[in-house]
Amino acid sequence: MDAQRTLRRPISCVGIGLHSGNKVQLSLKPAPAGFGVRFRRTDLGGVDLPATVQHLAGIQLATALAHDDVAVETVEHLLAALVSMGIDNVLIELNSPEVPIMDGSAAPFIYLIQEAGVKPLAVPRRYLKIVRPIAISRGDKRIALFPSDHFKITYSISYDHPLLRHQSRTLRVTEDTFIDEIAPARTFAFLKDVEMLRQNGLALGGSLDNAIVLGETGVLNNALRFEDEFVRHKILDAVGDLALVGFPVIGHLVAHRAGHALHTEFVAKILEETEAWRVVEAPVDVPSVALGAPARETAPARLAN
Ligand SMILES: [Zn+2]
């Protein structure tokens, strides 16, 4: 059985919020099967905010969730780490509206999850398996999902900047490939945009410690972690935003020049296109299936949770 997972023990860290610049405490706590991924604002009295597209709030530079007056911002790097490590059930406590930005990548969250340890639960995991293509485009921005036996991403970006004109990468996303090739890739921003954000009271916590900053001709940071760190970070963001489906996805995601707004619009579209996917209890390549047990399918109606 491909079992649901949670953490072995609670774990915490402290970082700063990208926009507020304030100190934030983040705690990850084990949760039972079927609990899902939920945020809880400890400063606002314990209202749970499930990490699903139904709770999507505004998209600016990052992905935010809200329910009534309770909001959590910049969720995508943490969600990407959790889904890639197979953590289906976890309570995420925050004492502030922002998930700490850490170093601008998902690597610190991977480290936290590894420190806490992973615990399998006695309930099978369910996946959303794509059986027909789904696509949307907005101008020259495109995103689509195609049937595939694995979760794969092809991402391409193009900018009018000498350092990152065109970058493209295809990757089969597994726990190992995510940890090694995607999680360390940092978010990036253009210096001219950073100056504008600051004037509007945003990105007050932003610095060269938590973002790659691009000047006119090059990066202001000392070094890149990968030659194509930019497109790798876009893959990281897509993994995190796609987690708002509420299940790990089995399919090939293909995106060109997309961003949080298009990613999350696409997640809502996926859930509307109920003919284009099935909820299955195991991917077709797990050992139990190889031994002859077919992947079981459950009715799409069970998505409503
Ligand atoms: Zn990002």
Side-chain angles (χ1 to χ4, degrees):
M1 184 182 70
D2 196 17
Q4 291 188 29
R5 291 166 152 197
T6 188
L7 300 177
R8 197 163 286 285
R9 65 180 183 90
I11 195 156
S12 300
C13 73
V14 174
I16 59 162
L18 177 62
H19 286 310
S20 65
N22 292 337
K23 210 163 100 173
V24 186
Q25 169 140 1
L26 166 75
S27 300
L28 304 179
K29 298 187 168 175
F35 184 88
V37 176
R38 298 189 204 173
F39 289 89
R40 185 176 289 171
R41 286 278 302 277
T42 55
D43 57 328
L44 293 180
V47 177
D48 280 5
L49 191 52
T52 60
V53 74
Q54 289 86 352
H55 296 95
L56 189 68
I59 303 289
Q60 280 195 313
L61 299 169
T63 300
L65 301 169
H67 182 65
D68 295 333
D69 293 336
V70 179
V72 177
E73 297 164 21
T74 324
V75 299
E76 62 273 16
H77 302 165
L78 175 57
L79 293 182
L82 289 166
V83 73
S84 299
M85 300 276 294
I87 306 298
D88 307 278
N89 305 291
V90 62
L91 175 63
I92 305 160
E93 290 187 343
L94 290 167
N95 64 350
S96 153
E98 288 185 88
V99 174
I101 189 67
M102 311 310 285
D103 69 352
S105 81
F109 300 128
I110 296 288
Y111 177 75
L112 266 189
I113 296 164
Q114 287 173 332
E115 282 296 296
V118 174
K119 181 180 165 188
L121 300 165
V123 175
R125 175 182 293 142
R126 292 187 293 160
Y127 295 82
L128 189 135
K129 181 169 171 57
I130 302 300
V131 295
R132 289 186 201 167
I134 312 169
I136 54 175
S137 59
R138 298 284 175 265
D140 66 345
K141 301 173 194 295
R142 300 186 298 274
I143 188 164
L145 257 169
F146 300 95
S148 168
D149 288 340
H150 309 289
F151 179 36
K152 283 197 297 188
I153 296 186
T154 296
Y155 214 112
S156 56
I157 55 174
S158 55
Y159 288 90
D160 183 18
H161 188 282
L163 206 69
L164 52 86
R165 297 221 181 281
H166 187 80
Q167 292 188 347
S168 180
R169 175 165 283 271
T170 294
L171 182 85
R172 179 174 166 193
V173 185
T174 64
E175 186 172 332
D176 289 342
T177 63
F178 185 83
I179 290 171
D180 294 340
E181 299 181 38
I182 301 300
R186 294 162 296 170
T187 194
F188 57 96
F190 296 92
L191 185 60
K192 58 179 174 22
D193 296 337
V194 173
E195 286 161 354
M196 198 180 68
L197 289 168
R198 291 274 173 87
Q199 283 164 12
N200 291 305
L202 296 168
L204 299 177
S207 75
L208 295 180
D209 292 332
N210 53 37
I212 307 167
V213 179
L214 288 137
E216 296 276 302
T217 55
V219 298
L220 276 57
N221 313 64
N222 286 332
L224 294 175
R225 293 177 177 175
F226 303 99
E227 198 185 338
D228 62 349
E229 189 168 355
F230 308 96
V231 73
R232 290 177 193 242
H233 188 81
K234 297 297 281 190
I235 292 174
L236 196 173
D237 281 341
V239 170
D241 288 335
L242 197 62
L244 297 175
V245 162
F247 296 98
V249 169
I250 303 172
H252 184 183
L253 185 82
V254 180
H256 176 66
R257 302 202 69 192
H260 293 303
L262 197 61
H263 296 164
T264 51
E265 184 184 349
F266 188 56
V267 170
K269 166 92 170 168
I270 294 168
L271 294 180
E272 284 167 16
E273 299 273 322
T274 55
E275 297 298 306
W277 44 263
R278 300 281 179 271
V279 174
V280 300
E281 279 195 350
V284 291
D285 64 337
V286 300
S288 63
V289 172
L291 292 170
R296 280 164 294 174
E297 298 192 358
T298 54
R302 287 179 62 184
L303 253 185
N305 59 4

